[in-house]
């Protein structure tokens, strides 16, 4: 069991130059608007938790906005990608685009079950507890639908 983490603004400084993070946090704000990066962190954390929940092998921590520590870099990269769209003059570098694409691939592996995330410590929310009726095709015959085979119909 592992203690899940909550991404904080300070975590982003590891992945982007400090002045760039500060620009994302303080530029182009409406009057009395708070730090928009905090909201982006929450949104991305919720999306990652939803992706974790898409695989029955995983469990979620009951602590809101927490994610497994092994997905911290993916979360930070995706947070910065979304946050940078706030400032039209800031463009992602090719390296940032590559890292964001890799982060999405990693999260897709979590959804597909290729990667099972660490079990959270403490209170755990089981995902997809209800048994759903479904049909699974275990094997099938090859389908042959050619003009030659369908001539008599």
């Amino acid at each position: 069991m592992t203690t899940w983490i909550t991404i904080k603004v300070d975590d982003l400084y590891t992945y982007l130059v400090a002045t760039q993070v500060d620009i994302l946090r303080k530029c182009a704000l409406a009057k009395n608007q708070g730090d928009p990066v905090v909201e982006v962190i929450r949104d991305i954390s919720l999306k990652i938790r939803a992706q974790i929940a898409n695989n029955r092998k995983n469990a979620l921590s009951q602590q809101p906005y927490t994610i497994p520590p092994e997905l911290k870099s993916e979360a930070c990269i995706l947070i910065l990608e979304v946050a940078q769209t706030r400032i039209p003059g800031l463009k992602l570098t090719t390296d940032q685009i590559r890292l964001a694409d890799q982060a999405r691939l990693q999260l897709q592996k979590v959804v597909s079950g290729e990667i099972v995330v660490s079990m959270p410590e403490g209170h755990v929310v089981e995902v997809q507890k209800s048994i759903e009726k479904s049909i699974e095709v275990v094997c099938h015959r090859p389908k042959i639908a050619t003009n030659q085979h369908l001539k008599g119909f």
Side-chain angles (χ1 to χ4, degrees):
M1 294 212 181
T2 305
T3 302
W4 282 25
I5 60 171
T6 303
I7 302 292
K8 299 176 203 72
V9 173
D10 288 345
D11 295 324
L12 301 179
Y13 289 105
T14 304
Y15 298 91
L16 194 64
V17 177
T19 54
Q20 289 176 301
V21 174
D22 291 339
I23 288 170
L24 296 174
R25 297 179 68 201
K26 298 174 183 169
C27 287
L29 297 179
K31 187 175 181 180
N32 299 324
Q33 180 182 359
D35 184 349
V37 174
V38 172
E39 289 299 316
V40 174
I41 289 172
R42 288 183 186 144
D43 292 345
I44 296 298
S45 296
L46 288 175
K47 286 181 182 183
I48 289 173
R49 287 174 60 88
Q51 288 179 309
I52 291 168
N54 275 329
N55 188 318
R56 283 183 262 174
K57 296 176 188 174
N58 296 322
L60 291 175
S61 170
Q62 281 188 330
Q63 294 293 93
Y65 308 113
T66 58
I67 61 169
E70 63 267 26
L71 295 178
K72 178 181 179 182
S73 63
E74 286 82 0
C76 289
I77 290 163
L78 293 173
I79 289 163
L80 290 169
E81 178 188 44
V82 172
Q84 281 195 346
T85 62
R86 291 190 57 254
I87 313 292
L90 292 179
K91 299 292 180 200
L92 295 173
T93 66
T94 55
D95 285 336
Q96 289 171 322
I97 293 168
R98 178 182 51 79
L99 289 172
D101 289 341
Q102 286 176 348
R104 280 187 282 280
L105 285 173
Q106 194 74 348
L107 290 172
Q108 190 55 45
K109 288 179 182 180
V110 171
V111 171
S112 70
E114 273 184 72
I115 297 174
V116 179
V117 297
S118 59
M119 184 69 81
E121 265 183 2
H123 299 287
V124 173
V125 177
E126 296 292 327
V127 295
Q128 296 182 356
K129 275 183 117 173
S130 63
I131 298 175
E132 299 172 9
K133 294 180 183 179
S134 63
I135 297 173
E136 181 179 343
V137 177
V138 178
C139 63
H140 64 89
R141 294 180 298 186
K143 296 177 184 172
I144 303 171
T146 64
N147 287 341
Q148 195 68 4
H149 286 90
L150 299 174
K151 214 174 215 176
F153 290 107

